[in-house]
């Protein structure tokens, strides 16, 4: 662990992400003995607060959000590493003092000048902070590494993402930039490649000859909560599709990489996005559905419409739901549609990938039958983690008849419980310098190229919102999108 020695600096130290994810992740990393002996965490926030006050706050956060129970010995180890540094990071003159502060900590903790700067702040501050790091020479001069971690959203469209990227590249090389997509830290997302490339039974049929369609559904029961201001400028397209859904899509559809090195994987992923067919006006009209929730009932409780949420305009046309049918125009996938959907305030909060295989010819057992249960492979990302597989078998209890057998590792496999939080894995990878689970610039760029066209369409189209009730599964049009192809969303 010695070569991971460093100071981990978090901009946004009093923010929601730091409390809910980053500090609890560090707690579990300390617990799992993955944090080196020579290590410090500096959390930067604008608020004037004593070390004690800050630590009291994050103690509460760890108690509430850590996946493992609070243990005072571990907490003491962690809290000794944490230093709260009050600083308004828009003050360009303050960075020199921060630099001196970090250099002093270097002496104290023997961290070799190694740095990770984690920007857990609103995206409008990314450039300012990177510039501040450059002007004060903080972006250079470590013994081993100096890394920059950027939370999403990376830009709000292709142009702003490119501008941001160019500004960052003036200061950091691509190899030192870690663009976070926390879905990539989830166990089941990492398992996609394992399932595909460690099982001949799956890889052999993973193509348009055998797969009828693939569905990626990330549905949430939560509304926008206190994030109305952010969400108004984002919507489901920027919040979930451009990043999480497109990342999952690339892992599901990519060709086998030539090895497991990060750039081999990332190159294959990028090619998937590049192969998404041209998006014509005709395509947009027929294949893209947007929705916004009205009021309704979730888990027995009345909940307000999106337009009634805090910091949301009462005639907002921001989409809280999107369903899209995509084609990946390459040899493996031409003709097999990918249906993706995501939405807030839906009846179920699940994240799943469904691979629906083609049915058998209507002969033998299926002679004169209209309906055949297809083989389904479901990768359950959350809240259950595991794999479901459905295949046809004889009905043992009857003289004849065929019924689907359902195998589901997510309910029976105890080792899937209590999986490491995505952020634990991601933070550990940042320290190890493994960027496989982070998005390379060309992936982000290709994702924006597709997403931008869909977003522009949504902005021009006059869609009557709200068009689905909270507690439903989204607008009717999302069901029609599949029904007109003779298909349906699976929800098993
Ligand atoms: C975030 C989005 O990236 O992902 C949120 O900004 C969303 O709006 C969240 O709720 C979903 O993540 P998870 O891990 O809870 O499925």
């Amino acid at each position: 662990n010695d070569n991971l020695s460093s100071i981990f600096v978090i901009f946004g130290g009093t923010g929601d992400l730091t409390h809910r994810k980053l500090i609890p992740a560090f707690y579990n990393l300390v617990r799992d003995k993955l944090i080196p002996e020579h290590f410090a965490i500096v959390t930067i926030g604008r608020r004037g607060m004593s070390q004690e006050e800050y630590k009291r706050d994050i103690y509460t956060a760890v108690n509430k959000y850590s996946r493992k129970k609070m243990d005072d010995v571990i907490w003491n180890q962690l809290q000794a590493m944490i230093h709260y540094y009050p600083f308004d990071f828009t003050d360009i003159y303050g960075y020199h003092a921060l630099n001196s502060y970090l250099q002093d900590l270097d002496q104290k903790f023997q961290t070799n000048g190694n740095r990770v700067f984690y920007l857990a702040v609103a995206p409008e501050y990314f450039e300012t902070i990177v510039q501040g790091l450059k002007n004060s020479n903080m972006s250079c001069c470590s013994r081993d590494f100096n890394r920059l971690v950027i939370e999403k959203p990376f830009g709000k469209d292709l142009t702003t993402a490119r501008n941001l990227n160019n500004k960052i590249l003036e200061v950091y090389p691509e190899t030192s930039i870690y663009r976070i997509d926390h879905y990539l830290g989830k166990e089941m997302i990492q398992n996609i490649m394992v399932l595909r490339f460690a099982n001949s039974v799956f890889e052999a049929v993973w193509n348009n000859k055998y797969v009828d369609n693939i569905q990626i559904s990330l549905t949430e029961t939560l509304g926008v909560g206190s994030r109305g201001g952010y969400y108004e400028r984002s919507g489901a397209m920027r919040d979930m599709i451009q990043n999480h859904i497109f990342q999952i899509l690339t892992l599901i559809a990519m060709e086998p990489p030539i090895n497991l090195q990060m750039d081999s994987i990332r190159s294959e992923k990028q090619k998937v996005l590049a192969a998404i067919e041209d998006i014509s006006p005709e395509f947009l009209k027929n294949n893209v559905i947007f929705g916004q929730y009205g009021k309704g009932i979730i888990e027995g409780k009345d909940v307000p419409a999106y337009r009634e949420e805090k910091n949301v305009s009462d005639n907002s046309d921001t989409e809280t739901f999107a369903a899209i049918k995509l084609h990946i125009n390459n040899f493996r996938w031409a003709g097999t549609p990918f249906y993706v959907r995501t939405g807030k305030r839906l009846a179920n909060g699940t994240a799943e990938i469904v691979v629906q295989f083609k049915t058998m010819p209507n002969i033998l057992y299926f002679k004169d039958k209209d309906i055949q249960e297809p083989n389904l492979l479901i990768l359950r990302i959350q809240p259950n983690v595991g794999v479901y597989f459905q295949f046809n078998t004889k009905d043992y209890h009857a003289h004849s008849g065929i019924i689907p057998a359902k195998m589901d590792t997510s309910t029976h496999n105890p080792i899937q419980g209590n999986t490491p939080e995505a952020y634990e894995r991601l933070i550990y990878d940042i320290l190890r310098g493994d960027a496989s689970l982070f998005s390379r610039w060309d992936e982000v760029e290709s994702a924006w190229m597709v997403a931008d066209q869909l977003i522009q369409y949504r902005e021009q189209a006059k869609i009557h919102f709200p068009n689905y009730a909270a507690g439903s599964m989204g607008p009717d049009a999302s069901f029609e999108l599949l029904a007109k192809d003779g298909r349906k969303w699976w929800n098993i």
Side-chain angles (χ1 to χ4, degrees):
N1 267 357
D2 268 3
N3 53 359
L4 312 188
S5 296
S6 49
I7 305 182
F8 199 101
V9 185
I10 303 174
F11 286 87
T14 52
D16 186 60
L17 184 79
T18 304
H19 280 73
R20 282 198 310 132
K21 304 277 185 187
L22 303 182
I23 298 291
F26 272 115
Y27 172 82
N28 287 308
L29 288 169
V30 171
R31 203 189 162 102
D32 291 346
K33 303 197 174 17
L34 294 173
I35 295 295
E37 190 187 341
H38 302 292
F39 194 74
I41 301 169
V42 172
T43 51
I44 297 176
R46 291 189 222 210
R47 240 176 295 157
M49 230 194 271
S50 71
Q51 298 297 325
E52 291 68 35
E53 281 173 296
Y54 184 76
K55 288 183 186 178
R56 253 201 312 276
D57 267 12
I58 55 169
Y59 181 85
T60 314
V62 172
N63 240 334
K64 196 160 162 196
Y65 299 113
S66 164
R67 71 185 163 90
K68 294 245 179 85
K69 277 237 263 328
M70 180 65 96
D71 171 319
D72 283 343
V73 177
I74 309 291
W75 165 252
N76 277 330
Q77 284 175 29
L78 175 71
Q79 67 91 17
M81 294 174 190
I82 297 182
H83 307 265
Y84 179 64
Y85 187 86
F87 166 43
D88 175 356
F89 46 72
T90 58
D91 168 15
I92 51 165
Y93 301 105
Y95 284 80
H96 289 287
L98 173 63
N99 195 13
S100 313
Y101 178 74
L102 297 180
Q103 284 166 349
D104 288 348
L105 286 184
D106 261 338
Q107 299 299 319
K108 196 166 153 201
F109 288 89
Q110 300 166 43
T111 40
N112 300 332
N114 296 337
R115 302 278 185 271
V116 175
F117 293 103
Y118 194 120
L119 311 196
V121 296
E124 56 265 35
Y125 300 117
F126 290 167
E127 264 181 64
T128 314
I129 295 174
V130 173
Q131 207 50 44
L133 296 177
K134 182 183 178 199
N135 294 346
S136 55
N137 287 330
M138 273 193 279
S139 55
C140 73
C141 318
S142 67
R143 203 173 81 183
D144 303 311
F145 60 83
N146 190 318
R147 300 184 178 131
L148 182 74
V149 188
I150 308 247
E151 267 293 335
K152 65 169 258 272
F154 197 90
K156 68 179 175 65
D157 52 24
L158 183 59
T159 312
T160 52
R162 271 191 182 141
N163 289 343
L164 172 63
N165 200 51
N166 290 339
K167 287 275 188 274
I168 295 175
L169 283 176
E170 285 170 18
V171 184
Y172 280 92
E174 174 67 34
T175 47
S176 300
I177 304 172
Y178 291 70
R179 298 177 191 84
I180 291 255
D181 185 314
H182 79 280
Y183 261 72
L184 297 180
K186 293 185 193 265
E187 282 296 296
M188 202 55 192
I189 302 295
Q190 291 167 48
N191 203 16
I192 296 174
M193 277 182 60
V194 177
L195 284 174
R196 289 191 52 195
F197 305 131
N199 293 294
S200 56
V201 287
F202 297 140
E203 188 46 26
V205 292
W206 209 261
N207 57 48
N208 51 8
K209 283 202 193 75
Y210 298 101
V211 177
D212 179 80
N213 74 92
I214 294 186
Q215 306 178 7
I216 302 171
S217 274
L218 308 187
T219 62
E220 297 184 274
T221 53
L222 293 174
V224 289
S226 58
R227 299 163 73 225
Y230 152 78
Y231 202 84
E232 276 285 86
R233 283 173 276 124
S234 161
M237 282 303 305
R238 294 185 174 100
D239 191 49
M240 298 291 282
I241 303 258
Q242 186 272 344
N243 36 63
H244 307 323
I245 288 215
F246 280 179
Q247 283 293 325
I248 297 174
L249 178 77
T250 58
L251 286 165
I252 284 286
M254 72 186 208
E255 294 302 315
I258 53 166
N259 56 40
L260 290 179
Q261 277 159 24
M262 63 188 182
D263 273 323
S264 308
I265 298 171
R266 300 201 292 187
S267 297
E268 293 306 334
K269 284 168 65 199
Q270 190 274 335
K271 285 186 209 158
V272 172
L273 292 166
I276 288 183
E277 72 182 349
D278 281 346
I279 294 179
S280 63
E282 196 57 21
F283 169 90
L284 290 165
K285 217 164 72 217
N286 296 323
N287 298 291
V288 188
I289 309 297
F290 294 114
Q292 186 194 77
Y293 60 86
K295 62 181 171 20
I297 299 175
I298 299 260
E299 286 150 12
K301 284 204 194 101
D302 284 328
V303 295
Y306 175 70
R307 287 176 178 178
E308 291 158 15
E309 302 275 15
K310 209 168 129 216
N311 295 329
V312 170
S313 145
D314 48 18
N315 55 6
S316 167
D317 63 358
T318 299
E319 79 286 355
T320 61
F321 178 98
I324 308 161
K325 174 181 170 185
L326 290 164
H327 283 291
I328 297 168
N329 262 347
N330 60 20
F331 259 67
R332 187 187 285 265
W333 293 119
T336 295
F338 287 72
Y339 300 98
V340 304
R341 70 173 166 174
T342 186
K344 299 231 180 254
R345 283 287 190 229
L346 299 177
N348 299 324
T350 55
E352 289 189 342
I353 303 157
V354 181
V355 181
Q356 177 179 341
F357 292 93
K358 291 189 174 166
T359 46
M360 304 302 276
N362 276 343
I363 51 173
L364 302 182
Y365 301 110
F366 302 109
K367 201 167 173 204
D368 306 325
K369 293 237 165 71
D370 298 337
I371 299 175
Q372 253 187 65
E373 287 297 332
N375 291 151
L376 294 177
L377 178 72
I378 304 183
L379 278 50
R380 299 200 197 279
I381 303 163
Q382 61 191 34
N384 295 338
V385 184
V387 180
Y388 167 101
F389 186 58
Q390 176 176 301
F391 57 97
N392 288 316
T393 177
K394 182 175 181 306
D395 184 352
Y396 309 133
H397 303 291
H399 289 297
S400 65
I402 288 184
I403 52 165
K406 301 161 191 237
M407 297 197 306
D408 198 343
T409 68
S410 59
T411 44
H412 297 296
N413 191 344
I415 57 163
Q416 294 287 3
N418 205 11
T419 57
E421 279 278 314
Y423 275 92
E424 290 169 37
R425 171 67 197 247
L426 296 176
I427 289 173
Y428 187 54
D429 281 0
I430 294 164
L431 295 177
R432 293 191 306 158
D434 181 351
S436 312
L437 299 180
F438 297 80
S439 322
R440 202 172 59 188
W441 164 245
D442 53 348
E443 293 179 66
V444 177
E445 186 177 43
S446 301
W448 274 124
M449 282 179 184
V450 179
D452 251 13
Q453 301 178 65
L454 305 176
I455 293 168
Q456 275 166 24
Y457 168 67
R458 201 268 296 149
E459 285 170 353
Q460 284 152 17
K462 293 270 163 279
I463 309 168
H464 184 71
F465 285 159
N467 57 355
Y468 71 97
S472 70
M473 276 310 272
D476 293 342
S478 146
F479 293 93
E480 286 152 21
L481 178 69
L482 275 73
K484 67 184 185 203
D485 295 343
R487 301 188 174 104
K488 64 176 181 183
W489 292 107
W490 292 100
N491 202 354
I492 292 178

